[in-house]
Amino acid sequence: MAEGRETDAVAERPVELAYRPTVGELASALRVRARSTGAARFKRGALVWTMAVTIVGALLSAAGSGRRDTPWPLYAGVVVFVAFMTAVPWLQARALHRLAERQGDICGTVDNTGVRLTTVYSSVSHNWHLYSRYVETPELFVLLSADKSAVGFAVLPKRAVTDPEEVDRLRAVLDRRLVRADDAEAPGSPRSRGRAFGRGAGSVGLLLLGLLLFFFAFAAVQHAVHPDRFPGIQNNTAPISAVMLGLGALAVAGAWWLVRRMSAMRIVTAVLAALVLLAGCAALYRVGPMLHCWGSDRIARGPEGSYVCYDF
C-alpha cells in the first residue's frame, strides 16, 4: 500500500518546466496549428493552386507565338506574393519571439488542474477547459484551443524538462486531460472518412484532368501531323503540346500522391494512372519529332516525314 501511495504521489506531482522559446519552436507551433484548422488548410490549398495557375500561364505564354509580350512582371509578382504568404508563419514567429524575449526565461508547471507559466514580469494560469486537443512533434507539445481556428495555443518544448522521464509524465498528463489531434485522424473516425473520400475524389479528378491534357496535347499537333489533310506551313503548336504533356504528367503524379497512404485506392489509382500515361505516351510519340522547332513560329512536315522550322 505504501508503494501504491508513492506511485500516486509521483503521478500527482506537477511537471516542472524551465525554458526560453526559440524562433524555430514558435514557427513549428504555428505550422502545427495551421495544419489543424480548416481555414489554414484552405489558404494553403489556394496558394498551391495560385502557384500552379501562374506556372501554367507562364509556360503557355512562353510557348505561344506572342511570347515576346509575356507579362513576366505579373508572374514575378504572383511568385513573390506566394513566397511572402508561405513565409508568414516564420514572420509571425519572429514577432512572437521578440515579445517572449522581453519576458525572459519562462518557468511553469503542468498538472491535472492546468498549466501555469511565470516570467519575471507576468504570471498566467490556464485551466484545461481552455484547450481541447494537443499535437506532439519530435521537439514540442502544442496545446490547441477548442475553437475551429485554434486562436489560443500554448507551446511546451520537451527540452524544458530536466529528465527525459518527465517528458513521459507530461505526455501522460496531456493524455488524461486532452485529446490527441492524431486520434481525430485515426482510421474509422468521421474526419478520417471524410478526408479519405475527398482524397479519392481529388485523385479521380486529377486523373481525368491528366487524360484531358493528354488529349489536348494530341489534338494540338493534328494539323502538322497530317500534311495531306492540312497542306502548307502550320502554326507551331508543339511547345504548347509539350507543356500540356508535362502538366498532364504532374496531374497523374498528384493523383497518386493523394492516395499514396490508402492501400486499396493506391492500387486502383496506379492501374488507372498507367492507362492514362499510355495516352500520354501516344501524344508524346507525335510531339517528340517537332520539339527541335521549339523557338520557331511556323512548322511544316516534309515528304520524308521530318519537320522543317520557319521564322517569320
Side-chain angles (χ1 to χ4, degrees):
M1 294 181 62
E3 183 179 352
R5 287 194 296 271
E6 182 179 352
T7 302
D8 293 340
V10 172
E12 294 174 358
R13 178 168 53 85
V15 179
E16 298 184 356
L17 309 172
Y19 64 100
R20 179 175 291 193
T22 66
V23 176
E25 290 171 346
L26 293 173
S28 178
L30 289 170
R31 286 192 293 268
V32 165
R33 186 181 70 167
R35 289 195 298 267
S36 302
T37 61
R41 287 193 293 269
F42 175 81
K43 182 182 73 174
R44 186 167 62 249
L47 289 176
V48 170
W49 279 106
T50 299
M51 195 65 188
V53 170
T54 302
I55 292 174
V56 171
L59 290 174
L60 292 177
S61 297
S65 59
R67 54 185 174 273
R68 295 179 181 83
D69 300 326
T70 300
W72 294 115
L74 174 62
Y75 294 140
V78 173
V79 172
V80 171
F81 170 74
V82 172
F84 171 76
M85 295 302 295
T86 304
V88 163
W90 185 81
L91 297 174
Q92 291 176 331
R94 292 281 299 178
L96 291 174
H97 184 257
R98 285 194 294 269
L99 177 62
E101 280 291 299
R102 298 191 189 100
Q103 300 291 325
D105 293 336
I106 299 176
C107 297
T109 58
V110 180
D111 56 23
N112 287 326
T113 63
V115 180
R116 287 169 294 280
L117 302 175
T118 303
T119 69
V120 176
Y121 304 105
S122 64
S123 178
V124 62
S125 178
H126 298 304
N127 190 281
W128 288 121
H129 290 292
L130 178 63
Y131 304 106
S132 63
R133 60 198 189 279
Y134 81 95
V135 178
E136 181 178 0
T137 73
E139 296 84 18
L140 306 172
F141 292 104
V142 183
L143 282 55
L144 304 172
S145 58
D147 55 287
K148 293 183 178 180
S149 299
V151 174
F153 70 100
V155 184
L156 304 178
K158 294 180 180 179
R159 62 177 177 82
V161 298
T162 57
D163 190 345
E165 293 182 357
E166 294 293 282
V167 175
D168 296 331
R169 291 188 58 241
L170 178 56
R171 184 185 298 108
V173 173
L174 297 178
D175 285 336
R176 285 196 300 270
R177 307 304 303 185
L178 305 177
V179 176
R180 291 178 68 100
D182 297 342
D183 293 342
E185 307 293 338
S189 66
R191 181 178 296 180
S192 177
R193 289 194 296 269
R195 294 191 67 179
F197 177 81
R199 286 177 177 271
S203 178
V204 172
L206 284 174
L207 285 175
L208 292 176
L209 176 61
L211 184 61
L212 186 64
L213 287 169
F214 290 152
F215 172 77
F216 284 150
F218 188 87
V221 294
Q222 184 74 7
H223 287 198
V225 171
H226 297 286
D228 52 332
R229 301 179 192 173
F230 310 98
I233 300 174
Q234 308 292 337
N235 290 328
N236 183 17
T237 56
I240 295 178
S241 183
V243 170
M244 289 183 180
L245 284 174
L247 295 175
L250 288 177
V252 173
W256 183 87
W257 184 85
L258 281 176
V259 297
R260 68 193 186 283
R261 296 178 181 175
M262 302 165 61
S263 56
M265 281 298 299
R266 183 173 56 198
I267 297 173
V268 173
T269 301
V271 173
L272 294 176
L275 296 175
V276 173
L277 287 175
L278 285 176
C281 291
L284 181 61
Y285 178 77
R286 280 194 167 191
V287 177
M290 309 178 192
L291 293 181
H292 69 283
C293 295
W294 184 280
S296 301
D297 294 328
R298 301 289 189 272
I299 191 172
R301 187 175 184 179
E304 69 283 0
S306 62
Y307 290 90
V308 181
C309 313
Y310 294 93
D311 291 301
F312 296 101

